[in-house]
Amino acid sequence: MGAKKSAVEEIRVFIGMGSNLGNSKETLLAAWQELSSYPDIECVRLSRPYVSAPVDMKSQHWFTNAVGELRTTLGPRQLLRRLLEVENSLGRVRREGVFGYQDREIDLDLLYYGDTLMDEPELVLPHPHLQNRRFVLEPMAEIAGEFLDCKQNRTVAELTARLMERIAEGNEDKQEISPSTWPEQ
């Protein structure tokens, strides 16, 4: 959390992190470390890891997920490019012609970029599926439950509670998830 060299306003950003291949916890921590090495990204806070069953895909490999809070002077498209660079450096392979979700070494999703609303083919903000995913909402509520979703005008804590109600009522598929701990450094 060092001082920034730019007078440009920093934006509060949240990223979702996931992995279900290899040593997932170590991979997520390596991604967090790599993000912190960029001079225009400040890594503020990282949730604990959560282990979760795959959602919207068939796989025998469970995921490790976390949410990180960043501050950045980068624009949303520039930040997305940085996230993709980090994914590539940690072994993420995107197979051409393969549709749907796949097992992956690392996945970094831009969840929120301040209160920016964006709907472009390569980037939708806020992330279009987050309100239906415990593996995003629970870790984010842990570190920023008060954050206001600019599209739904609800806090992350409220979005989490609403998802849990829909699951309890049978209006949403059950999602298996449990908090974990980071390995000792």
Side-chain angles (χ1 to χ4, degrees), residues 17-175:
M17 306 172 73
S19 170
N20 77 333
L21 294 177
N23 188 333
S24 294
K25 289 180 184 179
E26 292 294 339
T27 301
L28 296 184
L29 288 174
W32 187 248
Q33 185 65 37
E34 190 169 334
L35 285 168
S36 73
S37 73
Y38 288 105
D40 42 19
I41 296 174
E42 177 186 1
C43 291
V44 176
R45 185 171 16 184
L46 181 64
S47 74
R48 63 187 155 171
Y50 287 74
V51 178
S52 63
V55 174
D56 295 334
M57 68 180 277
K58 295 211 182 297
S59 175
Q60 296 178 350
H61 305 285
W62 281 44
F63 279 85
T64 299
N65 297 100
V67 170
E69 179 181 351
L70 311 174
R71 299 257 197 266
T72 188
T73 55
L74 295 171
R77 289 174 204 85
Q78 293 171 303
L79 180 58
L80 179 62
R81 280 194 294 278
R82 288 278 163 82
L83 296 178
L84 293 173
E85 287 172 14
V86 171
E87 285 183 352
N88 288 336
S89 76
L90 293 172
R92 174 77 188 257
V93 177
R94 295 177 190 272
R95 287 174 238 143
E96 295 290 322
V98 177
F99 298 100
Y101 297 113
Q102 305 160 28
D103 292 322
R104 62 205 76 148
E105 291 81 6
I106 184 73
D107 185 34
L108 302 174
D109 289 330
L110 186 49
L111 303 174
Y112 290 102
Y113 182 89
D115 59 1
T116 299
L117 294 171
M118 183 180 287
D119 190 352
E120 297 179 355
E122 68 278 354
L123 183 58
V124 177
L125 292 169
H127 191 284
H129 305 295
L130 65 87
Q131 73 277 0
N132 298 319
R133 294 182 171 166
R134 283 183 68 190
F135 66 84
V136 171
L137 290 175
E138 288 189 26
M140 185 161 172
E142 174 188 317
I143 63 170
E146 85 297 340
F147 186 80
L148 188 66
D149 181 292
C150 55
K151 191 169 186 180
Q152 299 187 47
N153 201 33
R154 295 187 188 282
T155 67
V156 169
E158 290 171 324
L159 292 176
T160 305
R162 290 187 65 163
L163 175 58
M164 296 309 293
E165 288 171 9
R166 290 195 316 270
I167 291 171
E169 294 166 351
N171 296 325
E172 189 78 41
D173 288 340
K174 181 181 175 198
Q175 298 175 35

Side-chain angles (χ1 to χ4, degrees), residues 7-18:
V8 177
E9 180 186 355
E10 290 184 329
I11 303 295
R12 188 179 190 197
V13 173
F14 293 92
I15 61 167
M17 306 172 73

